[in-house]
mmCIF file of all heavy atoms in Angstrom:
data_model
loop_
_atom_site.group_PDB
_atom_site.id
_atom_site.type_symbol
_atom_site.label_atom_id
_atom_site.label_comp_id
_atom_site.label_asym_id
_atom_site.label_seq_id
_atom_site.Cartn_x
_atom_site.Cartn_y
_atom_site.Cartn_z
ATOM 1 N N ALA A 388 106.004 112.369 58.834
ATOM 2 C CA ALA A 388 106.707 113.551 59.316
ATOM 3 C C ALA A 388 106.447 113.819 60.801
ATOM 4 O O ALA A 388 107.224 114.528 61.442
ATOM 5 C CB ALA A 388 106.312 114.769 58.496
ATOM 6 N N ARG A 389 105.376 113.241 61.349
ATOM 7 C CA ARG A 389 105.038 113.484 62.752
ATOM 8 C C ARG A 389 105.656 112.463 63.698
ATOM 9 O O ARG A 389 105.553 112.615 64.919
ATOM 10 C CB ARG A 389 103.515 113.478 62.936
ATOM 11 C CG ARG A 389 102.804 114.560 62.147
ATOM 12 C CD ARG A 389 101.367 114.693 62.575
ATOM 13 N NE ARG A 389 101.267 115.169 63.955
ATOM 14 C CZ ARG A 389 100.211 115.806 64.446
ATOM 15 N NH1 ARG A 389 99.158 116.053 63.654
ATOM 16 N NH2 ARG A 389 100.167 116.196 65.701
ATOM 17 N N VAL A 390 106.283 111.437 63.165
ATOM 18 C CA VAL A 390 106.765 110.335 63.994
ATOM 19 C C VAL A 390 108.263 110.475 64.261
ATOM 20 O O VAL A 390 109.055 110.507 63.323
ATOM 21 C CB VAL A 390 106.491 108.979 63.318
ATOM 22 C CG1 VAL A 390 106.858 107.832 64.268
ATOM 23 C CG2 VAL A 390 105.035 108.863 62.892
ATOM 24 N N PRO A 391 108.679 110.558 65.524
ATOM 25 C CA PRO A 391 110.117 110.583 65.834
ATOM 26 C C PRO A 391 110.802 109.327 65.297
ATOM 27 O O PRO A 391 110.191 108.259 65.235
ATOM 28 C CB PRO A 391 110.160 110.625 67.360
ATOM 29 C CG PRO A 391 108.812 111.102 67.773
ATOM 30 C CD PRO A 391 107.855 110.616 66.740
ATOM 31 N N ASP A 392 112.077 109.459 64.926
ATOM 32 C CA ASP A 392 112.765 108.330 64.313
ATOM 33 C C ASP A 392 114.166 108.098 64.869
ATOM 34 O O ASP A 392 114.980 107.421 64.243
ATOM 35 C CB ASP A 392 112.840 108.514 62.798
ATOM 36 C CG ASP A 392 113.617 109.766 62.403
ATOM 37 O OD1 ASP A 392 114.065 110.505 63.298
ATOM 38 O OD2 ASP A 392 113.762 110.006 61.188
ATOM 39 N N SER A 393 114.463 108.646 66.048
ATOM 40 C CA SER A 393 115.775 108.456 66.657
ATOM 41 C C SER A 393 115.658 108.676 68.161
ATOM 42 O O SER A 393 114.651 109.203 68.647
ATOM 43 C CB SER A 393 116.798 109.444 66.077
ATOM 44 O OG SER A 393 116.458 110.768 66.443
ATOM 45 N N VAL A 394 116.700 108.301 68.892
ATOM 46 C CA VAL A 394 116.705 108.513 70.336
ATOM 47 C C VAL A 394 116.570 110.000 70.650
ATOM 48 O O VAL A 394 115.788 110.407 71.516
ATOM 49 C CB VAL A 394 117.991 107.944 70.966
ATOM 50 C CG1 VAL A 394 118.102 108.344 72.426
ATOM 51 C CG2 VAL A 394 118.021 106.420 70.825
ATOM 52 N N ALA A 395 117.301 110.828 69.917
ATOM 53 C CA ALA A 395 117.266 112.268 70.165
ATOM 54 C C ALA A 395 115.886 112.851 69.899
ATOM 55 O O ALA A 395 115.368 113.654 70.683
ATOM 56 C CB ALA A 395 118.311 112.976 69.306
ATOM 57 N N SER A 396 115.258 112.443 68.788
ATOM 58 C CA SER A 396 113.947 113.006 68.463
ATOM 59 C C SER A 396 112.863 112.481 69.403
ATOM 60 O O SER A 396 111.885 113.175 69.684
ATOM 61 C CB SER A 396 113.580 112.710 67.003
ATOM 62 O OG SER A 396 113.542 111.327 66.742
ATOM 63 N N TYR A 397 113.037 111.266 69.931
ATOM 64 C CA TYR A 397 112.107 110.770 70.947
ATOM 65 C C TYR A 397 112.202 111.606 72.205
ATOM 66 O O TYR A 397 111.186 111.930 72.830
ATOM 67 C CB TYR A 397 112.385 109.292 71.262
ATOM 68 C CG TYR A 397 111.460 108.337 70.538
ATOM 69 C CD1 TYR A 397 111.559 108.149 69.164
ATOM 70 C CD2 TYR A 397 110.478 107.636 71.220
ATOM 71 C CE1 TYR A 397 110.721 107.271 68.491
ATOM 72 C CE2 TYR A 397 109.622 106.763 70.562
ATOM 73 C CZ TYR A 397 109.753 106.581 69.192
ATOM 74 O OH TYR A 397 108.898 105.726 68.535
ATOM 75 N N ARG A 398 113.403 111.955 72.621
ATOM 76 C CA ARG A 398 113.559 112.793 73.807
ATOM 77 C C ARG A 398 112.873 114.144 73.612
ATOM 78 O O ARG A 398 112.195 114.652 74.512
ATOM 79 C CB ARG A 398 115.044 112.991 74.107
ATOM 80 C CG ARG A 398 115.726 111.758 74.674
ATOM 81 C CD ARG A 398 117.217 111.984 74.829
ATOM 82 N NE ARG A 398 117.866 110.805 75.396
ATOM 83 C CZ ARG A 398 119.173 110.596 75.366
ATOM 84 N NH1 ARG A 398 119.972 111.507 74.802
ATOM 85 N NH2 ARG A 398 119.689 109.507 75.901
ATOM 86 N N GLU A 399 113.059 114.736 72.451
ATOM 87 C CA GLU A 399 112.417 116.019 72.164
ATOM 88 C C GLU A 399 110.902 115.875 72.169
ATOM 89 O O GLU A 399 110.183 116.735 72.705
ATOM 90 C CB GLU A 399 112.886 116.541 70.801
ATOM 91 C CG GLU A 399 114.353 116.935 70.756
ATOM 92 C CD GLU A 399 114.791 117.343 69.364
ATOM 93 O OE1 GLU A 399 113.936 117.324 68.438
ATOM 94 O OE2 GLU A 399 115.982 117.665 69.185
ATOM 95 N N TYR A 400 110.410 114.787 71.594
ATOM 96 C CA TYR A 400 108.959 114.585 71.546
ATOM 97 C C TYR A 400 108.381 114.435 72.953
ATOM 98 O O TYR A 400 107.390 115.092 73.306
ATOM 99 C CB TYR A 400 108.608 113.352 70.712
ATOM 100 C CG TYR A 400 107.160 112.959 70.871
ATOM 101 C CD1 TYR A 400 106.148 113.716 70.283
ATOM 102 C CD2 TYR A 400 106.795 111.868 71.660
ATOM 103 C CE1 TYR A 400 104.805 113.391 70.466
ATOM 104 C CE2 TYR A 400 105.463 111.536 71.846
ATOM 105 C CZ TYR A 400 104.475 112.303 71.248
ATOM 106 O OH TYR A 400 103.160 111.981 71.444
ATOM 107 N N PHE A 401 108.971 113.578 73.771
ATOM 108 C CA PHE A 401 108.442 113.361 75.117
ATOM 109 C C PHE A 401 108.497 114.641 75.953
ATOM 110 O O PHE A 401 107.592 114.909 76.749
ATOM 111 C CB PHE A 401 109.192 112.225 75.809
ATOM 112 C CG PHE A 401 108.819 110.852 75.311
ATOM 113 C CD1 PHE A 401 109.794 109.912 75.013
ATOM 114 C CD2 PHE A 401 107.493 110.494 75.134
ATOM 115 C CE1 PHE A 401 109.458 108.649 74.551
ATOM 116 C CE2 PHE A 401 107.135 109.229 74.668
ATOM 117 C CZ PHE A 401 108.129 108.304 74.372
ATOM 118 N N ALA A 402 109.547 115.426 75.774
ATOM 119 C CA ALA A 402 109.634 116.700 76.499
ATOM 120 C C ALA A 402 108.518 117.640 76.075
ATOM 121 O O ALA A 402 107.955 118.378 76.899
ATOM 122 C CB ALA A 402 110.995 117.346 76.255
ATOM 123 N N SER A 403 108.150 117.601 74.797
ATOM 124 C CA SER A 403 107.096 118.492 74.303
ATOM 125 C C SER A 403 105.714 118.095 74.805
ATOM 126 O O SER A 403 104.830 118.940 74.959
ATOM 127 C CB SER A 403 107.102 118.506 72.762
ATOM 128 O OG SER A 403 106.595 117.287 72.224
ATOM 129 N N VAL A 404 105.508 116.808 75.065
ATOM 130 C CA VAL A 404 104.197 116.311 75.497
ATOM 131 C C VAL A 404 104.036 116.390 77.017
ATOM 132 O O VAL A 404 102.907 116.413 77.522
ATOM 133 C CB VAL A 404 103.988 114.855 75.009
ATOM 134 C CG1 VAL A 404 102.643 114.296 75.464
ATOM 135 C CG2 VAL A 404 104.070 114.787 73.496
ATOM 136 N N LEU A 405 105.127 116.468 77.742
ATOM 137 C CA LEU A 405 105.082 116.423 79.205
ATOM 138 C C LEU A 405 104.054 117.384 79.822
ATOM 139 O O LEU A 405 103.324 116.982 80.740
ATOM 140 C CB LEU A 405 106.475 116.697 79.774
ATOM 141 C CG LEU A 405 106.636 116.558 81.291
ATOM 142 C CD1 LEU A 405 106.253 115.158 81.764
ATOM 143 C CD2 LEU A 405 108.072 116.883 81.700
ATOM 144 N N PRO A 406 103.933 118.632 79.347
ATOM 145 C CA PRO A 406 102.939 119.527 79.967
ATOM 146 C C PRO A 406 101.489 119.068 79.807
ATOM 147 O O PRO A 406 100.614 119.529 80.547
ATOM 148 C CB PRO A 406 103.165 120.858 79.235
ATOM 149 C CG PRO A 406 104.565 120.785 78.712
ATOM 150 C CD PRO A 406 104.764 119.342 78.361
ATOM 151 N N GLU A 407 101.220 118.166 78.857
ATOM 152 C CA GLU A 407 99.851 117.702 78.623
ATOM 153 C C GLU A 407 99.469 116.550 79.543
ATOM 154 O O GLU A 407 98.281 116.206 79.649
ATOM 155 C CB GLU A 407 99.697 117.244 77.170
ATOM 156 C CG GLU A 407 99.991 118.314 76.135
ATOM 157 C CD GLU A 407 99.948 117.753 74.722
ATOM 158 O OE1 GLU A 407 99.237 116.740 74.508
ATOM 159 O OE2 GLU A 407 100.633 118.299 73.843
ATOM 160 N N LEU A 408 100.444 115.950 80.206
ATOM 161 C CA LEU A 408 100.178 114.745 80.988
ATOM 162 C C LEU A 408 99.631 115.094 82.366
ATOM 163 O O LEU A 408 99.990 116.104 82.951
ATOM 164 C CB LEU A 408 101.461 113.921 81.126
ATOM 165 C CG LEU A 408 102.177 113.556 79.822
ATOM 166 C CD1 LEU A 408 103.381 112.670 80.110
ATOM 167 C CD2 LEU A 408 101.225 112.895 78.833
ATOM 168 N N ARG A 409 98.759 114.230 82.863
ATOM 169 C CA ARG A 409 98.172 114.424 84.188
ATOM 170 C C ARG A 409 97.529 113.118 84.649
ATOM 171 O O ARG A 409 97.268 112.219 83.853
ATOM 172 C CB ARG A 409 97.140 115.545 84.160
ATOM 173 C CG ARG A 409 95.911 115.272 83.280
ATOM 174 C CD ARG A 409 95.140 116.545 83.011
ATOM 175 N NE ARG A 409 95.927 117.451 82.175
ATOM 176 C CZ ARG A 409 95.566 118.700 81.893
ATOM 177 N NH1 ARG A 409 94.455 119.191 82.395
ATOM 178 N NH2 ARG A 409 96.318 119.466 81.114
ATOM 179 N N THR A 410 97.251 113.063 85.928
ATOM 180 C CA THR A 410 96.586 111.887 86.452
ATOM 181 C C THR A 410 95.078 112.102 86.456
ATOM 182 O O THR A 410 94.589 113.216 86.235
ATOM 183 C CB THR A 410 97.085 111.557 87.865
ATOM 184 O OG1 THR A 410 96.599 110.265 88.241
ATOM 185 C CG2 THR A 410 96.615 112.610 88.856
ATOM 186 N N SER A 411 94.351 111.046 86.690
ATOM 187 C CA SER A 411 92.886 111.084 86.740
ATOM 188 C C SER A 411 92.431 109.790 87.403
ATOM 189 O O SER A 411 93.220 108.848 87.537
ATOM 190 C CB SER A 411 92.301 111.177 85.327
ATOM 191 O OG SER A 411 92.543 109.980 84.603
ATOM 192 N N PRO A 412 91.178 109.719 87.825
ATOM 193 C CA PRO A 412 90.705 108.453 88.406
ATOM 194 C C PRO A 412 90.876 107.265 87.458
ATOM 195 O O PRO A 412 91.244 106.171 87.900
ATOM 196 C CB PRO A 412 89.228 108.737 88.696
ATOM 197 C CG PRO A 412 89.191 110.216 88.948
ATOM 198 C CD PRO A 412 90.181 110.802 87.975
ATOM 199 N N ASP A 413 90.604 107.489 86.164
ATOM 200 C CA ASP A 413 90.771 106.391 85.209
ATOM 201 C C ASP A 413 92.239 106.007 85.067
ATOM 202 O O ASP A 413 92.578 104.814 84.962
ATOM 203 C CB ASP A 413 90.206 106.792 83.842
ATOM 204 C CG ASP A 413 88.681 106.808 83.815
ATOM 205 O OD1 ASP A 413 88.073 106.033 84.580
ATOM 206 O OD2 ASP A 413 88.113 107.597 83.040
ATOM 207 N N ALA A 414 93.119 107.004 85.042
ATOM 208 C CA ALA A 414 94.551 106.713 84.951
ATOM 209 C C ALA A 414 95.015 105.962 86.191
ATOM 210 O O ALA A 414 95.799 104.997 86.104
ATOM 211 C CB ALA A 414 95.342 108.003 84.787
ATOM 212 N N GLU A 415 94.549 106.385 87.360
ATOM 213 C CA GLU A 415 94.935 105.707 88.597
ATOM 214 C C GLU A 415 94.481 104.255 88.595
ATOM 215 O O GLU A 415 95.210 103.363 89.054
ATOM 216 C CB GLU A 415 94.345 106.453 89.793
ATOM 217 C CG GLU A 415 94.977 107.819 90.031
ATOM 218 C CD GLU A 415 94.227 108.634 91.076
ATOM 219 O OE1 GLU A 415 93.189 108.138 91.572
ATOM 220 O OE2 GLU A 415 94.675 109.749 91.403
ATOM 221 N N ALA A 416 93.279 104.013 88.067
ATOM 222 C CA ALA A 416 92.770 102.638 88.005
ATOM 223 C C ALA A 416 93.615 101.792 87.060
ATOM 224 O O ALA A 416 93.917 100.629 87.350
ATOM 225 C CB ALA A 416 91.311 102.640 87.563
ATOM 226 N N ALA A 417 93.987 102.372 85.929
ATOM 227 C CA ALA A 417 94.800 101.638 84.962
ATOM 228 C C ALA A 417 96.177 101.326 85.533
ATOM 229 O O ALA A 417 96.703 100.211 85.378
ATOM 230 C CB ALA A 417 94.937 102.441 83.676
ATOM 231 N N ILE A 418 96.779 102.300 86.196
ATOM 232 C CA ILE A 418 98.108 102.103 86.783
ATOM 233 C C ILE A 418 98.058 101.051 87.886
ATOM 234 O O ILE A 418 98.918 100.163 87.966
ATOM 235 C CB ILE A 418 98.655 103.443 87.304
ATOM 236 C CG1 ILE A 418 98.971 104.363 86.115
ATOM 237 C CG2 ILE A 418 99.889 103.241 88.171
ATOM 238 C CD1 ILE A 418 99.237 105.805 86.487
ATOM 239 N N ALA A 419 97.038 101.125 88.733
ATOM 240 C CA ALA A 419 96.885 100.130 89.797
ATOM 241 C C ALA A 419 96.701 98.739 89.216
ATOM 242 O O ALA A 419 97.220 97.746 89.752
ATOM 243 C CB ALA A 419 95.706 100.505 90.690
ATOM 244 N N PHE A 420 95.972 98.652 88.108
ATOM 245 C CA PHE A 420 95.735 97.354 87.482
ATOM 246 C C PHE A 420 97.033 96.756 86.948
ATOM 247 O O PHE A 420 97.292 95.552 87.117
ATOM 248 C CB PHE A 420 94.727 97.496 86.346
ATOM 249 C CG PHE A 420 94.603 96.257 85.515
ATOM 250 C CD1 PHE A 420 93.888 95.173 85.977
ATOM 251 C CD2 PHE A 420 95.233 96.165 84.280
ATOM 252 C CE1 PHE A 420 93.806 94.015 85.224
ATOM 253 C CE2 PHE A 420 95.151 95.012 83.526
ATOM 254 C CZ PHE A 420 94.434 93.939 83.999
ATOM 255 N N VAL A 421 97.859 97.564 86.293
ATOM 256 C CA VAL A 421 99.114 97.050 85.751
ATOM 257 C C VAL A 421 100.045 96.609 86.877
ATOM 258 O O VAL A 421 100.720 95.580 86.771
ATOM 259 C CB VAL A 421 99.807 98.103 84.864
ATOM 260 C CG1 VAL A 421 101.191 97.626 84.424
ATOM 261 C CG2 VAL A 421 98.951 98.418 83.639
ATOM 262 N N ARG A 422 100.055 97.357 87.972
ATOM 263 C CA ARG A 422 100.946 97.015 89.082
ATOM 264 C C ARG A 422 100.497 95.757 89.812
ATOM 265 O O ARG A 422 101.335 94.992 90.291
ATOM 266 C CB ARG A 422 101.020 98.185 90.056
ATOM 267 C CG ARG A 422 101.629 99.452 89.452
ATOM 268 C CD ARG A 422 101.852 100.500 90.509
ATOM 269 N NE ARG A 422 102.944 100.098 91.410
ATOM 270 C CZ ARG A 422 103.169 100.687 92.586
ATOM 271 N NH1 ARG A 422 102.364 101.650 93.014
ATOM 272 N NH2 ARG A 422 104.183 100.294 93.339
ATOM 273 N N ARG A 423 99.191 95.546 89.893
ATOM 274 C CA ARG A 423 98.651 94.358 90.563
ATOM 275 C C ARG A 423 97.520 93.797 89.709
ATOM 276 O O ARG A 423 96.344 93.907 90.044
ATOM 277 C CB ARG A 423 98.148 94.706 91.969
ATOM 278 C CG ARG A 423 99.262 94.984 92.956
ATOM 279 C CD ARG A 423 100.062 93.704 93.239
ATOM 280 N NE ARG A 423 101.169 93.942 94.164
ATOM 281 C CZ ARG A 423 102.396 94.252 93.793
ATOM 282 N NH1 ARG A 423 102.692 94.391 92.497
ATOM 283 N NH2 ARG A 423 103.349 94.431 94.688
ATOM 284 N N PRO A 424 97.879 93.193 88.591
ATOM 285 C CA PRO A 424 96.849 92.739 87.656
ATOM 286 C C PRO A 424 96.013 91.595 88.203
ATOM 287 O O PRO A 424 96.491 90.749 88.956
ATOM 288 C CB PRO A 424 97.668 92.280 86.438
ATOM 289 C CG PRO A 424 99.020 91.974 86.982
ATOM 290 C CD PRO A 424 99.231 92.905 88.121
ATOM 291 N N SER A 425 94.738 91.615 87.832
ATOM 292 C CA SER A 425 93.835 90.507 88.150
ATOM 293 C C SER A 425 93.406 89.872 86.838
ATOM 294 O O SER A 425 93.391 90.529 85.803
ATOM 295 C CB SER A 425 92.613 90.996 88.928
ATOM 296 O OG SER A 425 91.874 91.930 88.160
ATOM 297 N N LEU A 426 93.069 88.610 86.880
ATOM 298 C CA LEU A 426 92.706 87.874 85.664
ATOM 299 C C LEU A 426 91.360 87.197 85.895
ATOM 300 O O LEU A 426 91.265 85.970 85.955
ATOM 301 C CB LEU A 426 93.791 86.849 85.334
ATOM 302 C CG LEU A 426 95.222 87.409 85.222
ATOM 303 C CD1 LEU A 426 96.233 86.287 85.181
ATOM 304 C CD2 LEU A 426 95.344 88.303 83.998
ATOM 305 N N PRO A 427 90.286 87.991 86.013
ATOM 306 C CA PRO A 427 89.010 87.449 86.477
ATOM 307 C C PRO A 427 88.384 86.410 85.564
ATOM 308 O O PRO A 427 87.648 85.545 86.052
ATOM 309 C CB PRO A 427 88.117 88.699 86.568
ATOM 310 C CG PRO A 427 88.743 89.687 85.636
ATOM 311 C CD PRO A 427 90.208 89.430 85.715
ATOM 312 N N LYS A 428 88.644 86.452 84.265
ATOM 313 C CA LYS A 428 87.971 85.527 83.358
ATOM 314 C C LYS A 428 88.709 84.204 83.189
ATOM 315 O O LYS A 428 88.216 83.301 82.528
ATOM 316 C CB LYS A 428 87.771 86.187 81.993
ATOM 317 C CG LYS A 428 86.690 87.259 82.000
ATOM 318 C CD LYS A 428 86.197 87.567 80.600
ATOM 319 C CE LYS A 428 84.992 88.508 80.635
ATOM 320 N NZ LYS A 428 84.444 88.765 79.294
ATOM 321 N N LEU A 429 89.894 84.095 83.769
ATOM 322 C CA LEU A 429 90.629 82.841 83.667
ATOM 323 C C LEU A 429 90.157 81.858 84.725
ATOM 324 O O LEU A 429 89.779 82.252 85.829
ATOM 325 C CB LEU A 429 92.128 83.095 83.833
ATOM 326 C CG LEU A 429 92.835 83.861 82.716
ATOM 327 C CD1 LEU A 429 94.321 83.956 83.035
ATOM 328 C CD2 LEU A 429 92.636 83.204 81.370
ATOM 329 N N PRO A 430 90.194 80.567 84.434
ATOM 330 C CA PRO A 430 89.845 79.569 85.454
ATOM 331 C C PRO A 430 90.867 79.609 86.590
ATOM 332 O O PRO A 430 92.009 80.035 86.400
ATOM 333 C CB PRO A 430 89.895 78.240 84.686
ATOM 334 C CG PRO A 430 90.741 78.524 83.487
ATOM 335 C CD PRO A 430 90.513 79.956 83.133
ATOM 336 N N PRO A 431 90.471 79.172 87.795
ATOM 337 C CA PRO A 431 91.363 79.255 88.962
ATOM 338 C C PRO A 431 92.767 78.687 88.745
ATOM 339 O O PRO A 431 93.749 79.308 89.167
ATOM 340 C CB PRO A 431 90.594 78.486 90.038
ATOM 341 C CG PRO A 431 89.155 78.691 89.662
ATOM 342 C CD PRO A 431 89.127 78.675 88.160
ATOM 343 N N PRO A 432 92.920 77.507 88.089
ATOM 344 C CA PRO A 432 94.300 77.008 87.899
ATOM 345 C C PRO A 432 95.168 77.976 87.101
ATOM 346 O O PRO A 432 96.339 78.172 87.425
ATOM 347 C CB PRO A 432 94.091 75.688 87.144
ATOM 348 C CG PRO A 432 92.702 75.275 87.490
ATOM 349 C CD PRO A 432 91.920 76.549 87.592
ATOM 350 N N ALA A 433 94.590 78.576 86.055
ATOM 351 C CA ALA A 433 95.359 79.522 85.240
ATOM 352 C C ALA A 433 95.683 80.779 86.023
ATOM 353 O O ALA A 433 96.779 81.339 85.899
ATOM 354 C CB ALA A 433 94.576 79.875 83.973
ATOM 355 N N ARG A 434 94.739 81.235 86.857
ATOM 356 C CA ARG A 434 95.004 82.413 87.684
ATOM 357 C C ARG A 434 96.139 82.147 88.664
ATOM 358 O O ARG A 434 96.995 82.999 88.901
ATOM 359 C CB ARG A 434 93.745 82.838 88.443
ATOM 360 C CG ARG A 434 92.706 83.513 87.564
ATOM 361 C CD ARG A 434 91.792 84.402 88.394
ATOM 362 N NE ARG A 434 91.099 83.691 89.443
ATOM 363 C CZ ARG A 434 89.934 83.070 89.295
ATOM 364 N NH1 ARG A 434 89.323 83.094 88.118
ATOM 365 N NH2 ARG A 434 89.349 82.458 90.309
ATOM 366 N N LEU A 435 96.146 80.935 89.241
ATOM 367 C CA LEU A 435 97.211 80.593 90.187
ATOM 368 C C LEU A 435 98.568 80.546 89.504
ATOM 369 O O LEU A 435 99.594 80.888 90.091
ATOM 370 C CB LEU A 435 96.914 79.240 90.838
ATOM 371 C CG LEU A 435 95.774 79.217 91.859
ATOM 372 C CD1 LEU A 435 95.498 77.790 92.305
ATOM 373 C CD2 LEU A 435 96.124 80.090 93.062
ATOM 374 N N LEU A 436 98.574 80.126 88.225
ATOM 375 C CA LEU A 436 99.826 80.011 87.482
ATOM 376 C C LEU A 436 100.306 81.358 86.967
ATOM 377 O O LEU A 436 101.480 81.713 87.114
ATOM 378 C CB LEU A 436 99.645 79.033 86.315
ATOM 379 C CG LEU A 436 100.862 78.817 85.409
ATOM 380 C CD1 LEU A 436 101.987 78.156 86.201
ATOM 381 C CD2 LEU A 436 100.485 77.972 84.204
ATOM 382 N N LEU A 437 99.386 82.124 86.367
ATOM 383 C CA LEU A 437 99.772 83.364 85.697
ATOM 384 C C LEU A 437 99.768 84.573 86.622
ATOM 385 O O LEU A 437 100.489 85.535 86.370
ATOM 386 C CB LEU A 437 98.839 83.627 84.515
ATOM 387 C CG LEU A 437 98.926 82.632 83.358
ATOM 388 C CD1 LEU A 437 97.883 82.972 82.294
ATOM 389 C CD2 LEU A 437 100.314 82.614 82.750
ATOM 390 N N GLY A 438 98.939 84.542 87.679
ATOM 391 C CA GLY A 438 98.834 85.697 88.557
ATOM 392 C C GLY A 438 100.165 86.160 89.121
ATOM 393 O O GLY A 438 100.540 87.333 88.976
ATOM 394 N N PRO A 439 100.944 85.266 89.768
ATOM 395 C CA PRO A 439 102.246 85.698 90.297
ATOM 396 C C PRO A 439 103.191 86.197 89.218
ATOM 397 O O PRO A 439 103.943 87.154 89.437
ATOM 398 C CB PRO A 439 102.778 84.423 90.966
ATOM 399 C CG PRO A 439 101.561 83.616 91.292
ATOM 400 C CD PRO A 439 100.604 83.890 90.167
ATOM 401 N N ALA A 440 103.165 85.553 88.045
ATOM 402 C CA ALA A 440 104.050 85.986 86.956
ATOM 403 C C ALA A 440 103.711 87.402 86.505
ATOM 404 O O ALA A 440 104.609 88.233 86.281
ATOM 405 C CB ALA A 440 103.935 85.022 85.780
#
Side-chain angles (χ1 to χ4, degrees):
R389 298 192 66 156
V390 186
D392 61 358
S393 66
V394 171
S396 59
Y397 261 70
R398 287 175 179 164
E399 293 176 1
Y400 169 73
F401 285 134
S403 73
V404 179
L405 185 58
E407 301 175 26
L408 306 183
R409 64 195 67 187
T410 191
S411 68
D413 286 331
E415 291 171 358
I418 291 168
F420 171 77
V421 174
R422 297 188 70 195
R423 288 293 179 268
S425 61
L426 306 168
K428 287 199 173 183
L429 291 183
R434 286 204 302 273
L435 288 174
L436 179 65
L437 294 177

